[in-house]
Amino acid sequence: MTDPLDRLFSAVDICIEMYVEVPQFNRATWAALFDPSDDFRSQTFNSKRAAFWQGLLQDVATSGALRPDIDVEMLFK
């Protein structure tokens, strides 16, 4: 699959499938993310995860599928 927009949507589809197919995992993940007593959030929302999604969005922007005035970097701040 070489189309950047297709790759982005495929990644989103995989995430949605995981959340739908294993709702217990989804609930446990979100509960842990909002628990201020541990570092699960910092482990989950890390630089590798951000780089993955940012790279997908940058490829989409570079392909011309996003309006040129959309700042991909701002989507991650």
Side-chain angles (χ1 to χ4, degrees):
M1 177 178 321
T2 59
D3 181 76
L5 199 53
D6 286 342
R7 287 195 313 269
L8 175 65
F9 284 126
S10 290
V12 170
D13 285 344
I14 290 168
C15 291
I16 290 170
E17 284 176 25
M18 181 180 67
Y19 290 138
V20 170
E21 290 178 11
V22 189
Q24 299 85 354
F25 172 79
N26 183 24
R27 282 191 292 276
T29 300
W30 282 102
L33 286 173
F34 290 110
D35 181 356
S37 65
D38 73 28
D39 63 346
F40 181 79
R41 183 183 172 110
S42 64
Q43 292 175 13
T44 302
F45 292 105
N46 59 43
S47 60
K48 289 180 183 179
R49 178 188 173 277
F52 170 77
W53 289 106
Q54 196 167 8
L56 287 176
L57 282 174
Q58 189 59 54
D59 289 347
V60 170
T62 301
S63 76
L66 287 180
R67 291 185 354 215
D69 61 321
I70 294 175
D71 182 358
V72 173
E73 298 291 325
M74 287 298 294
L75 297 173
F76 290 90
K77 294 185 180 199

